[in-house]
C-alpha cells in the first residue's frame, strides 16, 4: 500500500491538486464565470494541442526538437488567410511552385543519373542562375497588398504580370527544376529506377501550372465569389496542406542529412525560425492582418446569442449562451477541431499500420528498419503530419488571434512548456500538457482581470499581467519536481 | 559455390572513430546453422549489424546469394530476406504480441500464413497474444523476438545470443525451436553458451578482437580444448 502510494505520488499529487483547485475555483467564481473561463482554457488548450501533438510526435520518433514548429503554425495562418481573403497572391505563386516540382520529377525520369559526378556542382549553379533569372523582377508585394486594401473585390490587373511574361517565368522555373533535379540524382546511387509515373505526374503538374497561369484573374473572382464558409474550409485545407508540404520538405532537405548530428539539427530549426519570419515579412509585409469570421460564426440579430449548440446549428450566431453568458461560437469550433484532431490522431496511432510503425519507432526505430520498413520515409511523413497539424492550428487561430509575423513565437514557447509538462514523446502527454497550459492561461487572465478575493481581506488582491504567462512555467517546475520526465514521459 | 548463401569478405567496420572490425570474413552455407563465437567484445554483434546494414562496413564486401548488399539501407537488406533477432530481445514494449508480429509482415497475409507454425514453436505467444510486449517475461520476449523474424519469408536469420540470461528450461525450448526453424531457413547464430552452440551448429567461426581467427566444423571444435580455452575463455 505504502509502496503503491510512493510509486503513484505524482498521479496522486496531481489529482489532489486538481480537486483543491476545483474547490477553490468554485468558491471564487460564479458558475457562469467559471464556465467561460473553462471554455476559454479549452480553446487555448485546443490550439496548443495542434502544436504540441506534432512537436511531440516528431521528438518521440526522430529525437528532433523542432524549434520551427511555431513558425509553421504562423505560415499556416498566412496561407489560410491569403486563400480566404486574397487568393491572388497564392494563384500567382502556385504555377511557379508546380512548374519547379514538375521539372524536378521529370529529371528523375530522364537518364541523368549516369552523368559523371563532376557535373554535379556546375549543374547546381546553373539551376540557381536559371531560377533566379526566371523570377527576376517579379514582385510579390503589390499582389499581397492591393487586393486587401481594396477590399479584395477589385481585380487590379496591373498588379499581375502580363500573361506572356508570366508563362515564360513558369517555363523558366520548370527548367530550373529540371536542372536541379538532374544535379540531385547524379551520383546518388540509391535513387530508385525511373518510373513512368514520374513522367505522368510531372506532365500533369506542368499542365496544371500552365492552365492556372491565364486563369489567375478569373480564378481569383471565383474563389472570392464562394460563400465565406466554403472559403473558410478551403483555407483550413490549404493551410494544413501547405504546412504539411513545407514540413515534409524541411525534413527531407535539412533535417535528414543531420540525424547523426543532433546539435546541428537544433541549430537548423532555430535558423529556420528567422528565415521563416523574414520570408513572411518579405511577402506579406511586417504588419499584421485580421481575418474575418466566416458566416457560420458571425451572425448577429434578435435571436442571438444562440440559446444552445443545437440552436446555433440553425441560426449561426456569433455567440452561444453558456449559463447566461454569451461565449463566442467560433471558440467552440476551435475546441471541436482540437477534439476531432485528438481523436483522429489517436485512431491513427492505435489502429493503422502507420500508427503501429510510429509507436514502435518511438522506442527503437533501428529495429523497425531491420523489419524491412523504410523508416526514413515514415520520418518525412510524420514531420509533414506534425507540420500540417500546426499549420491547421494557425489557420484556426487566425480569426481569433489575428495574424502577424510574431504569431509563431508565443505558441512555440507555450507549446514547449506543454510538451515538457506532458512528457516528451508521449501523445497523451502532449494533449494533457496542452490542456493544462491552456487552462492555466485562462485562469491567469481571469486573475489578472479581477484579482483574487481572499476572505480575510476587504479588497481583491491584484496581480500584474505577467502572472498568466508565469503560471505555466510554475506548473512546469512543479511537475518536473515530482516527475522529471513529465507526466507521461518515458524518456528524458 | 552456389550453396553459399552469405559471404562476408574482409569487412572493416567503424563505430564513430573506433575501428571495431578489422577484417572479418565468413561464409554461411544454405540450410546450415553457422555459429559465430568469441569473447565479450570480440565484435560478434557488430558483425551481425554490419551484415544487416545497421553499421555498414567501410570496406570489404558482403554478398547474399552472390549479390552484393553492402551499402544498401537496412530496410532494403531486410526486404531481400534477412531477418534480425537482436541482442537483449528488442521487442516493442508498447505494442501487443500481435502488433509486434504484424509489424514484421512484408506482404499482406504473411502472419496469417505463418501463424500456425509460429504458435506451434512458441505456444506462450498465443496465450499472451493481446498483451503488450513489455509485460512478457524475459524468455517470452526472446520467443517473440525470434517469432518476429519468422513472419516474413526470410532466407537468412541473424540471431544474437538468444540464450542470454534465460533459465535452462527456456533455453531448451529455444534450442528445439531453432532446430525446427533451420529445416527451412539458414541461420547465423551468435552464442556465448558454448554447449548450446555445439548442439545446434554445423560450422563455426571464431572472432577475436575484431578479426576472424579460425573456422571449421563444429564437430571438430568440440574436442579442440586448446582453441576453446584460447578464444572462448573457460568454455
Ligand atoms: N557505440 C560504441 N562505441 C564504441 N565502441 C563500441 C560501441 N559499441 C561497441 N563497441 C566496441 O566494439 C567492440 C565489439 O563490440 P560487439 O558488441 O560487437 O561485441 P560482442 O562480440 O557482440 O560482445 P558481447 O559478447 O559482449 O555481446 C567492443 O570492444 C565494444 O567495446
Ligand atoms: Mg554482442
Amino acid at each position: 500500500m505504502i509502496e503503491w502510494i510512493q510509486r503513484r505520488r505524482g498521479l496522486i499529487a496531481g489529482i489532489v491538486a486538481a480537486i483543491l483547485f476545483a474547490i477553490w475555483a468554485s468558491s471564487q467564481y460564479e458558475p457562469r464565470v467559471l464556465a467561460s473561463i473553462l471554455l476559454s482554457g479549452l480553446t487555448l488548450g485546443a490550439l496548443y494541442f495542434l502544436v504540441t501533438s506534432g512537436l511531440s510526435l516528431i521528438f518521440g520518433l526522430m529525437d528532433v526538437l523542432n524549434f520551427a514548429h511555431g513558425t509553421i503554425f504562423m505560415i499556416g495562418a498566412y496561407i489560410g488567410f491569403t486563400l480566404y481573403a486574397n487568393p491572388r497572391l497564392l494563384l500567382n505563386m502556385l504555377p511557379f511552385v508546380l512548374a519547379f516540382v514538375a521539372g524536378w520529377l521529370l529529371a528523375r525520369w530522364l537518364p541523368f543519373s549516369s552523368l559523371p559526378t563532376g557535373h554535379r556542382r556546375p549543374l547546381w549553379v546553373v539551376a540557381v542562375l536559371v531560377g533566379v533569372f526566371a523570377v527576376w523582377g517579379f514582385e510579390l508585394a503589390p499582389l499581397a497588398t492591393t487586393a486587401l486594401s481594396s477590399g479584395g473585390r477589385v481585380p487590379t490587373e496591373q498588379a499581375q504580370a502580363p500573361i506572356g511574361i508570366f508563362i515564360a517565368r513558369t517555363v523558366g522555373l520548370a527548367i530550373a527544376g529540371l536542372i536541379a533535379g538532374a544535379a540531385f540524382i547524379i551520383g546518388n546511387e540509391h535513387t530508385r529506377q525511373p518510373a513512368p509515373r514520374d513522367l505522368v505526374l510531372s506532365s500533369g503538374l506542368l499542365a496544371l501550372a500552365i492552365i492556372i497561369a491565364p486563369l489567375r484573374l478569373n480564378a481569383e473572382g471565383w474563389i472570392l465569389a464562394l460563400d465565406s464558409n466554403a472559403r473558410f474550409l478551403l483555407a483550413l485545407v490549404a493551410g494544413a496542406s501547405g504546412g504539411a508540404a513545407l514540413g515534409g520538405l524541411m525534413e527531407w532537405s535539412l533535417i535528414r542529412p543531420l540525424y547523426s548530428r543532433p546539435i546541428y539539427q537544433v541549430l537548423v530549426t532555430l535558423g529556420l525560425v528567422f528565415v521563416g519570419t523574414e520570408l513572411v515579412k518579405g511577402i506579406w509585409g511586417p504588419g499584421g492582418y485580421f481575418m474575418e469570421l466566416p458566416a457560420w460564426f458571425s451572425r448577429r440579430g434578435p435571436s442571438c446569442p444562440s440559446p444552445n449548440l443545437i440552436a446555433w446549428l440553425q441560426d449561426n450566431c456569433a455567440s452561444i449562451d453558456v449559463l447566461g453568458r454569451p461565449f463566442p461560437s467560433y471558440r467552440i469550433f476551435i475546441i471541436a477541431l482540437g477534439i476531432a484532431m485528438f481523436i483522429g490522431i489517436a485512431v491513427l496511432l492505435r489502429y493503422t499500420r502507420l500508427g503501429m510503425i510510429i509507436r514502435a519507432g518511438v522506442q527503437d526505430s533501428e529495429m523497425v528498419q531491420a523489419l524491412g520498413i523504410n523508416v526514413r520515409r515514415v520520418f518525412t511523413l510524420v514531420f509533414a503530419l506534425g507540420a500540417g497539424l500546426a499549420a491547421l492550428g494557425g489557420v484556426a487561430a487566425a480569426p481569433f488571434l489575428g495574424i502577424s509575423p510574431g504569431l509563431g513565437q508565443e505558441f512555440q514557447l507555450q507549446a514547449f512548456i506543454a510538451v515538457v509538462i506532458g512528457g516528451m514523446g508521449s501523445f497523451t502527454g502532449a494533449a494533457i500538457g496542452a490542456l493544462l497550459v491552456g487552462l492555466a492561461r485562462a485562469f491567469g487572465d481571469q486573475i489578472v482581470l479581477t484579482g483574487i478575493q481572499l476572505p480575510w481581506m476587504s479588497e481583491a488582491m491584484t496581480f500584474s499581467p505577467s502572472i498568466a504567462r508565469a503560471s505555466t512555467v510554475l506548473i512546469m517546475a512543479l511537475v518536473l519536481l515530482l516527475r522529471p520526465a513529465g507526466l507521461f514521459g518515458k524518456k528524458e | 559455390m552456389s550453396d553459399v548463401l552469405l559471404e562476408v569478405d574482409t569487412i572493416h567496420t567503424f563505430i564513430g572513430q573506433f575501428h571495431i572490425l578489422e577484417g572479418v570474413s565468413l561464409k554461411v552455407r544454405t540450410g546450415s546453422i553457422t555459429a559465430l563465437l568469441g569473447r565479450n567484445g570480440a565484435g560478434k554483434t557488430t558483425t551481425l549489424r554490419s551484415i544487416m546494414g545497421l553499421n555498414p562496413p567501410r570496406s570489404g564486401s558482403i554478398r547474399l546469394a552472390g549479390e552484393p548488399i553492402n551499402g544498401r539501407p537496412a530496410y532494403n537488406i531486410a526486404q531481400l530476406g534477412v531477418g534480425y533477432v537482436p541482442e537483449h530481445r528488442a521487442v516493442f514494449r508498447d505494442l501487443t504480441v500481435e502488433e509486434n508480429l504484424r509489424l514484421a509482415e512484408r506482404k499482406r497475409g504473411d502472419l496469417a500464413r505463418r501463424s500456425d507454425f509460429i504458435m506451434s514453436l512458441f505456444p506462450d505467444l498465443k496465450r499472451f497474444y493481446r498483451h503488450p510486449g513489455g509485460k512478457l517475461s524475459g524468455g517470452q520476449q526472446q520467443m517473440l523476438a525470434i517469432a518476429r523474424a519468422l513472419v516474413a519469408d526470410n532466407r537468412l536469420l541473424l540471431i544474437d545470443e538468444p540464450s542470454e540470461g534465460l533459465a535452462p528450461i527456456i533455453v531448451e525450448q529455444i534450442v528445439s525451436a531453432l532446430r525446427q526453424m533451420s529445416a527451412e531457413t539458414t541461420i547465423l547464430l551468435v552464442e556465448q553458451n558454448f554447449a548450446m552452440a555445439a548442439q545446434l551448429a554445423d560450422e563455426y567461426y571464431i572472432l577475436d578482437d575484431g578479426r576472424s581467427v579460425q573456422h571449421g566444423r563444429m564437430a571438430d571444435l568440440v574436442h579442440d580444448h586448446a582453441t576453446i580455452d584460447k578464444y572462448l575463455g573457460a568454455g
Side-chain angles (χ1 to χ4, degrees):
Chain A
M1 181 66 194
I2 288 172
E3 193 211 351
W4 186 86
I5 290 175
Q6 272 184 342
R7 219 159 6 103
R8 316 257 157 152
R9 64 181 194 277
L11 183 71
I12 294 170
I15 292 174
V16 170
I19 292 174
L20 286 179
F21 186 78
I23 294 174
W24 171 80
S26 53
S27 73
Q28 188 77 28
Y29 303 108
E30 303 169 52
R32 63 201 180 103
V33 178
L34 198 59
S36 65
I37 300 175
L38 285 175
L39 284 174
S40 297
L42 279 174
T43 311
L44 282 174
L47 285 179
Y48 288 137
F49 169 70
L50 290 174
V51 180
T52 57
S53 52
L55 210 54
S56 181
L57 278 177
I58 290 170
F59 180 80
L61 188 59
M62 299 159 239
D63 291 322
V64 175
L65 262 182
N66 184 15
F67 280 92
H69 216 65
T71 308
I72 289 181
F73 177 90
M74 182 249 320
I75 294 179
Y78 272 95
I79 295 179
F81 163 71
T82 306
L83 186 105
Y84 185 74
N86 180 18
R88 175 178 306 159
L89 183 61
L90 288 185
L91 288 168
N92 276 279
M93 282 162 47
L94 197 59
F96 292 171
V97 176
L98 292 178
F100 188 87
V101 175
W104 181 283
L105 288 175
L106 190 63
R108 303 175 65 150
W109 183 76
L110 294 169
F112 283 131
S113 56
S114 52
L115 286 178
T117 9
H119 287 29
R120 204 176 172 147
R121 215 173 277 254
L123 275 180
W124 276 121
V125 175
V126 174
V128 170
L129 286 179
V130 172
V132 168
F133 178 71
V135 295
W136 191 260
F138 185 77
E139 291 206 52
L140 279 172
L143 294 169
T145 49
T146 47
L148 290 170
S149 51
S150 57
R153 308 287 153 182
V154 191
T156 48
E157 279 168 55
Q158 60 274 28
Q160 309 202 8
I163 181 70
I165 296 183
F166 190 82
I167 292 206
R169 290 186 192 281
T170 307
V171 172
L173 278 167
I175 295 171
L178 181 73
I179 300 172
F184 179 74
I185 55 172
I186 288 179
N188 209 336
E189 293 166 48
H190 301 296
T191 341
R192 60 185 171 74
Q193 294 298 306
R197 67 165 185 201
D198 285 334
L199 183 64
V200 174
L201 203 60
S202 157
S203 25
L205 287 177
L206 196 60
L208 194 63
I210 302 286
I211 290 171
I212 292 178
L215 290 180
R216 283 170 299 158
L217 277 180
N218 306 351
E220 178 185 338
W222 297 332
I223 295 179
L224 288 175
L226 290 173
D227 81 280
S228 60
N229 297 328
R231 266 186 295 138
F232 176 66
L233 291 181
L234 275 181
L236 287 175
V237 172
S241 16
L246 276 179
L249 186 70
M250 173 179 158
E251 196 276 343
W252 176 81
S253 61
L254 295 171
I255 303 290
R256 182 179 286 197
L258 295 175
Y259 278 115
S260 50
R261 279 179 277 177
I263 305 284
Y264 288 79
Q265 273 177 340
V266 170
L267 290 180
V268 161
T269 66
L270 266 174
L272 282 175
V273 174
F274 298 102
V275 173
T277 312
E278 290 311 311
L279 205 67
V280 163
K281 282 186 191 160
I283 298 177
W284 281 280
Y289 296 101
F290 181 73
M291 180 166 161
E292 269 173 47
L293 283 171
W296 278 330
F297 310 104
S298 55
R299 184 139 315 136
R300 287 165 206 284
S303 71
C304 290
S306 313
N308 56 49
L309 215 54
I310 309 291
W312 169 80
L313 288 178
Q314 271 137 41
D315 57 28
N316 295 169
C317 283
S319 39
I320 298 176
D321 182 289
V322 178
L323 302 177
R325 246 189 164 206
F327 188 81
S329 55
Y330 184 68
R331 300 202 201 167
I332 306 270
F333 166 77
I334 292 183
I335 296 174
L337 185 70
I339 294 174
M341 288 302 135
F342 174 77
I343 295 174
I345 303 170
V347 166
L348 174 91
L349 286 176
R350 184 71 29 207
Y351 297 108
T352 66
R353 183 165 171 87
L354 177 65
M356 211 156 74
I357 295 173
I358 295 173
R359 280 183 292 139
V362 167
Q363 185 196 321
D364 186 351
S365 61
E366 204 171 59
M367 190 59 222
V368 175
Q369 284 243 53
L371 292 177
I373 294 160
N374 184 351
V375 159
R376 287 291 163 94
R377 203 156 65 198
V378 177
F379 283 8
T380 313
L381 213 63
V382 168
F383 220 97
L385 176 74
L389 283 167
L392 180 72
V395 186
F400 168 46
L401 299 172
I403 303 152
S404 68
L407 182 61
Q409 258 96 321
E410 170 75 347
F411 267 81
Q412 179 79 55
L413 185 65
Q414 296 296 331
F416 263 135
I417 293 175
V419 172
V420 170
I421 290 175
M424 303 289 305
S426 154
F427 174 66
T428 323
I432 301 284
L435 191 65
L436 278 178
V437 169
L439 287 173
R441 293 301 299 264
F443 273 100
D445 286 341
Q446 182 68 28
I447 287 171
V448 170
L449 209 63
T450 60
I452 295 179
Q453 184 66 58
L454 293 171
W456 60 89
M457 288 166 75
S458 54
E459 277 178 39
M461 215 158 92
T462 56
F463 294 91
S464 89
S466 46
I467 187 87
R469 243 169 295 156
S471 63
T472 58
V473 180
L474 210 67
I475 295 180
M476 176 171 80
L478 278 176
V479 166
L480 290 186
L481 273 179
L482 288 167
R483 289 184 65 99
L487 291 175
F488 294 85
K490 285 177 192 137
K491 46 183 173 182
E492 290 291 282
Chain B
M1 277 218 301
S2 65
D3 68 339
V4 174
L5 179 61
L6 176 75
E7 182 173 1
V8 175
D9 189 9
T10 31
I11 54 169
H12 288 253
T13 300
F14 290 71
I15 299 180
Q17 77 268 38
F18 302 106
H19 194 165
I20 307 289
L21 299 188
E22 307 178 23
V24 170
S25 302
L26 54 89
K27 287 179 183 166
V28 177
R29 288 206 289 189
T30 309
S32 73
I33 297 185
T34 300
L36 189 56
L37 308 171
R39 284 202 190 85
N40 287 109
K44 306 179 294 291
T45 299
T46 310
T47 303
L48 295 193
R49 289 174 56 85
S50 296
I51 297 168
M52 200 61 221
L54 296 170
N55 268 334
R58 203 173 279 183
S59 66
S61 85
I62 304 175
R63 287 165 185 277
L64 184 70
E67 195 187 340
I69 60 168
N70 44 322
R72 290 180 188 243
Y75 74 90
N76 197 260
I77 292 173
Q79 285 168 355
L80 293 174
V82 183
Y84 182 47
V85 182
E87 219 171 5
H88 314 308
R89 6 184 148 101
V91 304
F92 300 112
R93 292 185 294 272
D94 291 344
L95 273 60
T96 63
V97 170
E98 179 182 6
E99 289 174 326
N100 265 280
L101 296 174
R102 224 168 253 303
L103 199 62
E105 281 189 315
R106 286 207 287 272
K107 296 191 299 287
R108 226 168 245 286
D110 272 348
L111 181 57
R113 202 160 37 77
R114 303 280 286 163
S115 192
D116 286 346
F117 175 61
I118 291 173
M119 296 308 160
S120 73
L121 291 182
F122 307 115
D124 273 16
L125 295 185
K126 191 169 198 165
R127 209 141 48 85
F128 296 104
Y129 208 49
R130 302 202 186 282
H131 287 235
K135 292 265 191 292
L136 301 180
S137 74
Q140 289 160 346
Q141 290 192 13
Q142 186 59 267
M143 294 173 195
L144 179 55
I146 296 173
R148 208 169 46 185
L150 297 176
V151 171
D153 284 316
N154 285 323
R155 312 186 248 181
L156 173 67
L157 300 183
L158 309 175
I159 305 181
D160 202 347
E161 300 204 31
S163 76
E164 192 190 11
L166 300 183
I169 182 150
I170 310 279
V171 175
E172 284 299 311
Q173 211 180 332
I174 286 177
V175 167
S176 111
L178 291 181
R179 200 168 270 144
Q180 289 181 60
M181 285 152 57
S182 78
E184 57 173 40
T185 78
T186 308
I187 296 174
L188 177 58
L189 175 71
V190 167
E191 191 46 74
Q192 291 270 18
N193 177 341
F194 183 69
M196 175 176 174
Q199 271 184 67
L200 282 166
D202 311 303
E203 289 175 46
Y204 72 89
Y205 282 81
I206 294 178
L207 297 189
D208 193 45
D209 221 358
R211 274 174 253 259
S212 21
V213 289
Q214 191 171 330
H215 68 97
R217 283 158 26 100
M218 199 69 195
D220 299 335
L221 181 63
V222 176
H223 306 294
D224 185 353
H225 296 288
T227 303
I228 294 177
D229 282 347
K230 183 166 176 208
Y231 293 116
L232 308 178

